[in-house]
Amino acid sequence: MRYLVTGGAGFIGSNTVDELVQRGHSVVVLDDLSGGKDENLAEIRNKITIIKGSITDIETVRKAMHEAEYVLHLGARTSVPRSVKDPLETNRINIEGTLNVLVAAKEMKVKRVVFAASSSAYGETPNLPKVETMQPQPISPYGVTKYVGELYGAAFLKCYGLETVCLRYFNIFGPRQDPSSPYSGVLAKFCTAFLEDTKPVVFGDGEQTRDFTFVDNAVHANLLACEAPNVAGGVFNVGTGGRISLNEVLATLRKITGKPLETKYDQPRDGDIRDSQADISAARKFLGYEPQVGFEQGLRITFDWYRDSHAKAAAAKEAAAKEAALKEPAKAEN
Ligand code: UD1
């Protein structure tokens, strides 16, 4: 099968592409590398086609979608606080970009588009766990854009018969999640703090809870959503069904690392919701989804990955410094 993965060089995207390649599919990645990284695809670069470009340019999207059977639309401007800071940019990429993907998919008659929706659509809905039948009440521009993507998906099924499936991801974490931006996901930030022995910063009292979901579970759901029969027009939560507070996450990291790092508590963040937890019955029933990796196991794998990539980066820096030092005398002789 031929797949287009938008945002395929990003965190969830590249993990998904790895699995598609592993299963022998043909994959085209469309990514503008604004959030994604070339190095995320380094090991499979020869097996896939990478198009550097933005979903905001419909011609580029059309070109990338040529002969695609399935489209996994994961390209987006992520982060709630970033959307609060710059709602226009989030709107342009997440809504206009999604519309371009849907228009091109309709023209190219692809079999199905799977859209990376978000738990942030639930916003202020009062009850837990979150069920897909609840009326969404997003409280951040990011949540609005992700919800609009779902509405467009449903409209494209109705108006043009384009099959769309929306997956509301709940706080996905794991290897390759970028820890370096102020908008990075909290677990990427916390793992890095434990590696660098700096105080992890908690916005608020740390008692907010999330259904932190290891990335392999999202990849599993992505592939199921492409193939499951009779799910077009469906919206499904993708989480674990549990929830854990930030204070509990930090306690687990102290246990895993053996480091008794103290926490710095700061002001709560604008647009933040208090609690989040997925009801995953619909995904179980209609997609055959079952979480593959639990929270603590996923956190251990993730922490090990950050530790290894830190070690690799340090070794590369040392090698570069040595090489520069060797060149110095030669320069002096000239
Ligand atoms: C939200 C969305 C999620 C989306 C993600 C994209 C919800 C429920 N989830 O996640 O679907 O994919 O944005 O970015 O709306 N925090 C700290 N310290 C830090 C960083 C964050 O305490 O250094 C706190 C935040 O204030 C928040 C929690 O950790 O309370 C989780 O934050 P984050 O990882 O950014 O994800 P959400 O905003 O929950």
Side-chain angles (χ1 to χ4, degrees):
M1 290 293 177
R2 190 174 166 90
Y3 287 73
L4 168 66
V5 184
T6 71
F11 157 51
I12 303 175
S14 63
N15 278 288
T16 303
V17 172
D18 275 351
E19 184 61 27
L20 288 170
V21 168
Q22 181 79 24
R23 293 188 187 192
H25 295 298
S26 146
V27 182
V28 176
V29 165
L30 174 62
D31 201 303
D32 66 358
L33 302 183
S34 60
K37 290 184 196 146
D38 238 349
E39 70 199 53
N40 286 342
L41 298 169
E43 281 168 27
I44 50 165
R45 187 171 292 140
N46 299 334
K47 298 182 177 155
I48 60 175
T49 304
I50 304 175
I51 297 178
K52 185 170 181 279
S54 171
I55 51 171
T56 57
D57 176 27
I58 191 155
E59 282 313 322
T60 303
V61 177
R62 283 189 177 116
K63 194 174 131 212
M65 211 177 284
H66 186 64
E67 291 184 350
E69 289 163 290
Y70 295 103
V71 175
L72 283 153
H73 175 37
L74 312 184
R77 180 62 79 237
T78 57
S79 169
V80 167
R82 182 155 46 184
S83 77
V84 173
K85 198 165 173 227
D86 191 349
L88 283 175
E89 191 210 31
T90 298
N91 190 87
R92 194 172 61 83
I93 297 169
N94 294 5
I95 297 185
E96 292 177 34
T98 296
L99 189 53
N100 286 339
V101 169
L102 291 171
V103 167
K106 161 184 87 80
E107 291 169 358
M108 309 276 167
K109 299 192 174 12
V110 307
K111 285 196 205 309
R112 189 174 284 175
V113 176
V114 173
F115 171 60
S118 168
S119 56
S120 56
Y122 290 108
E124 277 188 324
T125 50
N127 300 328
L128 289 173
K130 306 298 180 191
V131 188
E132 294 88 341
T133 48
M134 289 172 176
Q135 174 60 43
Q137 295 178 40
I139 56 166
S140 66
Y142 175 77
V144 169
T145 64
K146 284 290 173 180
Y147 182 45
V148 170
E150 293 182 12
L151 297 176
Y152 263 127
F156 269 63
L157 174 65
K158 280 241 175 335
C159 297
Y160 312 109
L162 175 68
E163 290 206 1
T164 56
V165 177
C166 301
L167 300 180
R168 287 184 183 159
Y169 297 153
F170 280 68
N171 292 81
I172 313 298
F173 73 97
R176 298 189 189 144
Q177 188 170 31
D178 180 7
S180 66
S181 132
Y183 305 122
S184 298
V186 67
L187 292 195
K189 288 275 187 212
F190 282 3
C191 285
T192 308
F194 274 81
L195 277 167
E196 295 174 350
D197 294 319
T198 54
K199 280 187 183 174
V201 180
V202 166
F203 301 125
D205 62 5
E207 287 305 304
Q208 65 266 55
T209 58
R210 295 290 185 271
D211 186 347
F212 288 110
T213 303
F214 187 63
V215 66
D216 284 10
N217 300 326
V219 170
H220 175 55
N222 284 342
L223 300 203
L224 289 169
C226 290
E227 288 158 13
N230 308 319
V231 291
V235 174
F236 301 100
N237 290 338
V238 173
T240 68
R243 71 189 169 102
I244 178 163
S245 71
L246 294 190
N247 289 330
E248 286 170 312
V249 169
L250 289 169
T252 311
L253 273 169
R254 286 188 192 102
K255 187 178 82 180
I256 291 176
T257 61
K259 291 185 180 180
L261 282 194
E262 274 176 39
T263 307
K264 179 173 184 281
Y265 289 93
D266 215 327
Q267 288 301 311
R269 234 168 44 175
D270 287 340
D272 240 16
I273 56 155
R274 185 72 181 166
D275 298 302
S276 180
Q277 179 182 14
D279 180 318
I280 54 173
S281 330
R284 275 200 171 110
K285 184 169 171 197
F286 295 102
L287 301 178
Y289 166 80
E290 197 58 51
Q292 309 286 294
V293 181
F295 172 71
E296 188 169 333
Q297 190 194 351
L299 191 58
R300 283 178 190 275
I301 298 170
T302 305
F303 185 77
D304 287 350
W305 183 86
Y306 284 115
R307 199 189 42 215
D308 289 353
S309 58
H310 258 64
K312 273 187 205 143
K317 207 169 154 190
E318 204 181 300
K322 267 189 194 154
E323 205 181 306
L326 282 174
K327 278 183 189 156
E328 267 317 300
K331 247 195 213 167
E333 279 165 27
N334 291 337

